[in-house]
Amino acid sequence: LDASGPDSDIVLSTRVRLARNLQGYAFGPRSRVNDRRAVLRRVTRTAARVDLLAEANVHPLADLDPGTRRILLERRLISQDLLGERSETVVLSTREPVSVMVNEEDHLRLQVLVSGLALEAAWSLVDRLDEDLGQELPYAYDHELGFLTSCPTNVGTGLRASVLIHLPGLVLTKEIGRVLRGLSQVGLTFRGLYGEGSEVVGNFFQVSNQTTLGKTEEDLVDHLDRMVRQVIEYERRERRVLLRDAYQVTEDKIWRAYGLLRYARSISFEEMMNLLSGVRLGAALKLLPGLRVYSLNKIMIFAQSAHLEEAAGRKLPPGECDVHRATYVRRILATEGVVIPDKEPPQSGSDAVPDP
């Protein structure tokens, strides 16, 4: 949220996740209650002796109400699969950007979530956690295939690295299709805000590695890092094109988006995200001076439905939820950065206003 990471005006966050299973216990769809309970006992005992997890909070999913589980989903700390109520499923969370899902699709999902583009730092942290746990837990491993996982696409390294990246410039100049096709050709894929199966909203794309077999973890992380840096350069180039060739249209789109967010009395999450994309672009281009990326990141998280219901202390019907969302957005925009236009747009051609 704090937008402290590298390239945080374009990259919201970096996540690196490792899938692991334990020898001697069925995993995936074949796992039984006794398997999951035994895995949970072993993992929680071991976690207490691992530095990164020594002070972790343990959250049994069955003890959390549905609203709290949805908050964890909205913060991208759990997956859709963990919205159920299996009593053997827990999340270990710490003050570090580290969390562990136990008994999800695999016995263990180790993940690190950090600000901006920081793949190497995130990988280093999750690798350290993996090494510490692996010294005491017998991972399911095959000398030819690598780490064994429930889903065949994760077999090998078990690594999924992803970057949540904002690409309005490429979308507005209609170059996004070419860039996404290029990513697929080099072994990468993209998803929406909440990962697999989710739609792209607000011009946010989650770009990640597609395969994990046949390469080392370092190779996969380095490849994704190089490709994302290239996409960032494409995005910055297209933003310069917008300023050069369509300044007034771009400025108008940005200020219209800001005006709607600033004064709307009811707004859906999808509409908010699409308008927020324009406002975020305006902040990055210095067309909305005084507006911090941190404030926009807060809106993205806390204006989601489960967070609004938590703040209200009750379940909100869809229409009422939209009203609460608009109220929250107005409050943040009113208190965390007064936006004042600092200059008139350049004028040329038939649109120029002659001097009196």
Side-chain angles (χ1 to χ4, degrees):
L1 280 182
D2 62 7
S4 62
D7 296 297
S8 57
D9 58 325
I10 292 180
V11 178
L12 179 69
S13 62
T14 295
R15 179 171 64 176
V16 178
R17 186 211 74 200
L18 290 174
R20 297 289 184 258
N21 289 286
L22 304 190
Q23 292 179 12
Y25 305 98
F27 50 87
R30 298 184 62 188
S31 68
R32 299 173 295 274
V33 171
N34 288 342
D35 290 312
R36 294 194 295 271
R37 286 176 178 169
V39 167
L40 180 57
R41 284 194 298 271
R42 294 198 66 165
V43 171
T44 50
R45 283 200 304 266
T46 301
R49 298 190 293 273
V50 172
D51 285 345
L52 284 172
L53 298 176
E55 298 181 5
N57 295 312
V58 180
H59 305 286
L61 268 291
D63 293 351
L64 303 180
D65 61 80
T68 303
R69 291 198 293 272
R70 284 173 51 224
I71 285 177
L72 293 176
L73 175 65
E74 290 177 353
R75 294 192 184 194
R76 299 171 65 226
L77 291 175
I78 67 172
S79 67
Q80 291 274 3
D81 294 336
L82 286 189
L83 289 180
E85 297 189 16
R86 276 197 328 208
S87 59
E88 309 81 29
T89 300
V90 305
V91 175
L92 308 177
S93 65
T94 71
R95 289 187 178 274
E96 299 290 335
V98 174
S99 62
V100 180
M101 292 182 281
V102 185
N103 288 326
E104 195 229 17
E105 180 180 298
D106 294 286
H107 291 154
L108 291 174
R109 289 286 178 93
L110 321 177
Q111 65 178 7
V112 170
L113 185 65
V114 294
S115 173
L117 178 61
L119 280 160
E120 188 175 335
W123 158 243
S124 177
L125 199 54
V126 80
D127 182 45
R128 175 183 154 199
L129 176 60
D130 184 42
E131 289 287 335
D132 289 349
L133 288 172
Q135 288 181 7
E136 299 197 38
L137 296 174
Y139 287 153
Y141 184 86
D142 180 88
H143 288 288
E144 288 188 10
L145 296 174
F147 292 101
L148 303 180
T149 57
S150 298
C151 181
T153 58
N154 290 324
V155 168
T157 62
L159 180 140
R160 185 77 64 187
S162 64
V163 172
L164 187 59
I165 187 168
H166 185 224
L167 302 175
L170 288 164
V171 171
L172 289 171
T173 57
K174 297 182 169 47
E175 292 291 327
I176 189 66
R178 182 176 61 84
V179 170
L180 295 179
R181 286 192 297 273
L183 290 177
S184 66
Q185 291 170 1
V186 294
L188 302 180
T189 187
F190 74 93
R191 299 179 172 90
L193 190 64
Y194 301 111
E196 191 167 3
S198 62
E199 296 292 323
V200 172
V201 293
N203 299 319
F204 274 98
F205 298 81
Q206 192 174 145
V207 179
S208 65
N209 60 299
Q210 197 163 17
T211 58
T212 68
L213 187 63
K215 294 183 179 179
T216 66
E217 292 92 334
E218 290 79 6
D219 287 341
L220 292 169
V221 169
D222 180 67
H223 178 61
L224 178 61
D225 186 70
R226 284 187 287 109
M227 293 301 102
V228 169
R229 290 184 188 279
Q230 198 168 332
V231 173
I232 290 173
E233 182 51 42
Y234 291 153
E235 172 65 20
R236 294 199 189 280
R237 182 189 68 192
E238 296 308 312
R239 292 184 182 191
R240 291 193 293 269
V241 169
L242 289 172
L243 288 178
R244 184 192 68 206
D245 298 343
Y247 183 95
Q248 290 181 327
V249 172
T250 303
E251 185 187 43
D252 181 64
K253 185 182 289 289
I254 287 167
W255 277 96
R256 283 174 184 267
Y258 176 78
L260 284 169
L261 285 175
R262 179 68 182 82
Y263 296 105
R265 264 43 189 175
S266 175
I267 193 167
S268 69
F269 179 73
E270 184 175 355
E271 183 185 8
M272 182 201 75
M273 286 297 296
N274 289 329
L275 293 171
L276 204 58
S277 175
V279 171
R280 192 182 181 94
L281 176 62
L285 296 178
K286 304 295 188 288
L287 295 178
L288 293 175
L291 196 57
R292 297 184 301 161
V293 173
Y294 169 66
S295 300
L296 303 180
N297 289 348
K298 274 176 59 175
I299 290 174
M300 278 185 62
I301 301 300
F302 291 101
Q304 296 176 104
S305 299
H307 283 77
L308 293 172
E309 291 179 348
E310 174 74 10
R314 59 187 176 87
K315 187 79 172 172
L316 297 173
E320 191 176 353
C321 188
D322 291 348
V323 172
H324 279 249
R325 180 177 295 110
T327 301
Y328 176 78
V329 173
R330 290 199 310 275
R331 177 165 60 81
I332 294 297
L333 292 180
T335 58
E336 297 195 9
V338 177
V339 176
I340 302 173
D342 59 348
K343 63 181 179 179
E344 288 298 314
Q347 296 176 332
S348 61
S350 60
D351 293 330
V353 178
D355 291 332

